Amino acid sequence: MGAKYTRGCTGWLIVLVVAALVVAAVVFAVMKKHRHRDVLPVPGPPGNLDQKYADALGVALQFFQVQKSGKLVDNKITWRGDSALDDGNEAGLDLSKGMYDAGDHMKFGFPMAYTATVLSWSILEYGDQMSTAKQLDPALDALKWITDYLINAHPSDNVLFVQVGDPDIDHKCWERAETMAENRPLTQINKTAPGSDVAAETAAAMAAASLVFKSTDSRYSDLLLQHAKKLFTFANNYRGIYSDSIPKVQNFYNSTGYGDELLWAASWLYHATGDQSYLDYVTVKNGNSFADWGRPTWFSWDDKRAGTQVLLSRVHFFGSTQLSSGEMKDLQSYRDTAEAVICGLLPDSPTATSVEQKLLAEYSGLVWIDEWDALQHPVAASFLAVVYSDYMLTSSTPKIQCSGKTFTPSDLRSFATSQVEYILGDNPMKLSYLVGYGNSYPQQVHHRGASIPADATTGCNGFQWLSSTEPNPNVAQGALVGGPFKNDSYIDLRNNSMQSEPSTYNSAALVGLLSGLVTTSSVSTSFR
């Protein structure tokens, strides 16, 4: 009996040892698979706050307060005051709101509408995260300040005012917005001077914003959607490039086409309305004509293709199964191209698209495409990467393929984080390119209001403040400057507008990017 008991005990011991090894192997595999879980978003409510990114988000949103035109409400920027109160008077319109474009006092409708669209997208995807960081109200305030202006700029179905001010006059002055006395003419597009690009971008902004305000102000949301539909019809029926109709703008915001904006606007209208005709527009009717499937591009105020590809990937990830085979096929093409865009960003991807990116990676790893406004592309591209990573996570999509090499949502998020870290000071200059964040940031931002003391009387001719070698007397809080040269250097001079001028559209993308990283969460599967 004793021998039998010993053999049985030994047998059970072997079974237990084998079982333990199996369990250990499973645990190891799970741990290996989820080794980045602590940095991945998780389904459900926002998780713990990343205070660093929350602080940066709070700073970034202040730039929209710096850029406000009109009669200011609850103004917390002490050196700013009311300005441009008469804008629009010559046409019997109130165009006093809106935002100044960059370091000047122009209101360019094309980049301003893009700013509103990206802000809306950011709020729709990451409003809960913004709220957790106590920054949702400032984002909503900035968005509505622009959309109020856009509504007034569209007085009739086929007329849209797309510019306030003359850039030649404006750029011959260096003065505070509060003391401007120059003529500020209005520029419009209409049936005989079309601008499908700017009209469609404005439609996209209003459609996206209608979703933002739908649950809190249904009347305002409905008004925005009415304007969006009419503007899209105008853009589609009277086709033309706005910078052909308005040659003077070619030196500032020249458009390279309108097909991307038509797809972008229709995509947002589909999300806002659920109307199948808009989905048909971007797929079976016009996808082949305008989408450039299989050709990765950079997301910007001028080129919406990459943004549209990611946005329509959302439909492919989470949309209705009641779609035609043609629609599903074309949505797959949008998603495939979105993944090609993402693959082109990742430094370890075999299909990294940019020679410049690889060259700069020898220094720091920042995506670098152009010496003028260098941070535009890494910020906008990183925003798309974060959004796409969250689509993957929410849909339980574990990886994407980049020419045989796989990347996880964590890899996409890590890429975006690397770009943010560079911007916030982890760079060879040890300089934060977000003004007001950290202990070291540019002191001579190319910005009229920031460069002139609030009590100075300059008229149009305050150029001594442009050429001054002293730091700006006012901090352009939240300004994201143009950024570094390819060798990671930055020359902090006010006259160096290539590197030192900020813009609202870059700030919008940065707000979206930081909001996606500020805490862990997944995106909603529906905007409506």
Side-chain angles (χ1 to χ4, degrees), residues 86-344:
D86 295 332
D87 279 4
N89 278 4
E90 68 179 66
L93 302 173
D94 179 5
L95 299 181
S96 60
K97 281 189 174 182
M99 293 188 184
Y100 301 122
D101 172 64
D104 55 15
H105 297 136
M106 289 296 300
K107 295 177 188 175
F108 289 110
F110 196 27
M112 193 194 305
Y114 168 79
T115 298
T117 313
V118 174
L119 267 179
S120 295
W121 195 4
S122 303
I123 294 168
L124 290 168
E125 302 286 10
Y126 299 120
D128 286 348
Q129 287 91 316
M130 290 180 180
S131 182
T132 300
K134 296 181 172 57
Q135 297 301 330
L136 179 58
D137 287 343
L140 291 170
D141 174 78
L143 174 61
K144 192 171 185 296
W145 203 266
I146 297 175
T147 54
D148 283 352
Y149 167 88
L150 295 177
I151 288 171
N152 290 349
H154 182 223
S156 60
D157 290 359
N158 299 318
V159 172
L160 176 68
F161 286 89
V162 298
Q163 185 174 295
V164 180
D166 182 317
D168 292 337
I169 295 173
D170 182 88
H171 288 188
K172 288 177 182 176
C173 290
W174 195 267
E175 61 187 335
R176 299 179 67 243
E178 292 77 2
T179 60
M180 284 189 298
E182 295 74 41
N183 183 35
R184 290 176 63 77
L186 307 178
T187 304
Q188 65 171 255
I189 57 169
N190 50 50
K191 291 180 181 180
T192 58
S196 298
D197 34 24
V198 65
E201 180 59 68
T202 308
M206 290 178 159
S210 76
L211 286 164
V212 171
F213 294 109
K214 188 172 185 178
S215 63
T216 57
D217 191 341
S218 59
R219 291 183 63 184
Y220 190 68
S221 173
D222 289 345
L223 178 62
L224 286 166
L225 191 53
Q226 290 170 25
H227 280 280
K229 291 176 180 178
K230 291 176 180 177
L231 278 166
F232 179 75
T233 299
F234 171 41
N236 191 47
N237 288 347
Y238 299 93
R239 294 189 180 184
I241 298 174
Y242 95 113
S243 46
D244 288 345
S245 297
I246 311 166
K248 185 176 286 189
V249 82
Q250 292 174 11
N251 293 326
F252 303 95
Y253 288 101
N254 185 51
S255 174
T256 55
Y258 57 73
D260 55 322
E261 279 83 22
L262 288 172
L263 295 179
W264 177 240
S267 300
W268 278 112
L269 280 162
Y270 174 68
H271 281 290
T273 66
D275 186 331
Q276 193 73 19
S277 66
Y278 293 116
L279 186 62
D280 289 343
Y281 186 95
V282 300
T283 54
V284 294
K285 290 185 177 179
N286 294 288
N288 279 322
S289 301
F290 296 145
D292 281 341
W293 291 320
R295 182 169 172 262
T297 53
W298 297 100
F299 185 41
S300 72
W301 58 265
D302 178 43
D303 194 338
K304 314 308 178 335
R305 284 173 291 180
T308 302
Q309 288 147 10
V310 171
L311 182 62
L312 288 176
S313 294
R314 165 182 264 282
V315 182
H316 194 269
F317 274 116
F318 311 124
S320 169
T321 57
Q322 306 302 314
L323 300 176
S324 71
S325 59
E327 289 166 341
M328 286 300 294
K329 175 178 177 292
D330 289 350
L331 286 173
Q332 181 68 59
S333 296
Y334 279 109
R335 181 171 166 181
D336 289 345
T337 309
E339 293 193 359
V341 170
I342 301 302
C343 289

Side-chain angles (χ1 to χ4, degrees), residues 46-66:
N48 295 328
L49 199 67
D50 186 314
Q51 195 58 52
K52 176 179 180 178
Y53 292 160
D55 292 344
L57 177 61
V59 171
L61 278 163
Q62 291 182 59
F63 189 59
F64 297 110
Q65 303 300 316
V66 170

